[in-house]
């Protein structure tokens, strides 16, 4: 499942952190940060001339911008974000979006 994928990433930290496997698999991060362009979605936002924010959810594979241009959700990003948003294990986790833009209103 997606939770197992995310938790396996945490297990990679075990060797350097000194935390037990039990502790690492029983907790989820308090904060998860995602880069947007080229990581979560495509195209890059500068390519959406006349469009951009706000975005409308279509499904776990697609968004639409304010001019109805398609924004593709890459890989399993949609599933991961859906899991973080809906699974009880992740209810206390905050999601941060890491990006930059020259569009101050966004």
């Amino acid at each position: 499942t997606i939770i197992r994928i995310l938790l396996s990433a945490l297990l990679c930290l075990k060797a350097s952190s000194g935390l037990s496997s039990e502790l690492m698999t029983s907790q989820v991060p308090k904060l998860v940060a995602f880069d947007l362009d080229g990581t979560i979605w495509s195209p890059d936002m500068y390519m959406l001339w006349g469009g951009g924010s706000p975005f409308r959810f279509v499904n776990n594979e697609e968004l639409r911008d304010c001019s109805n241009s398609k924004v593709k959700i890459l890989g399993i990003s949609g599933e991961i974000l859906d899991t973080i948003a809906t699974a009880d294990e992740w209810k206390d986790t905050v999601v941060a979006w890491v990006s930059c833009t020259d569009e101050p209103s966004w």
Side-chain angles (χ1 to χ4, degrees):
T1 68
I2 299 305
I3 291 175
R4 288 183 194 261
I5 292 169
L6 293 171
L7 289 176
S8 69
L10 290 175
L11 288 174
C12 293
L13 300 174
K14 178 187 176 285
S16 62
S17 70
L19 295 174
S20 71
S21 293
E22 249 178 41
L23 179 61
M24 292 297 289
T25 57
S26 66
Q27 296 182 353
V28 297
K30 293 181 187 232
L31 172 70
V32 180
F34 294 98
D35 185 18
L36 296 174
D37 292 353
T39 302
I40 294 292
W41 61 30
S42 179
D44 290 0
M45 292 301 98
Y46 75 89
M47 299 169 148
L48 296 174
W49 293 105
S53 178
F55 298 93
R56 180 175 48 86
F57 176 81
V58 175
N59 57 49
N60 280 349
E61 298 176 0
E62 181 181 329
L63 302 174
R64 293 290 174 148
D65 76 351
C66 66
S67 67
N68 206 37
S69 294
K70 181 179 178 178
V71 177
K72 182 180 189 291
I73 304 296
L74 301 174
I76 62 168
S77 299
E79 291 178 58
I80 291 170
L81 295 171
D82 184 60
T83 297
I84 292 171
T86 61
D88 285 342
E89 299 90 336
W90 295 89
K91 70 179 189 289
D92 296 322
T93 299
V94 175
V95 174
W97 306 112
V98 182
S99 192
C100 66
T101 181
D102 57 0
E103 295 289 338
S105 63
W106 290 7

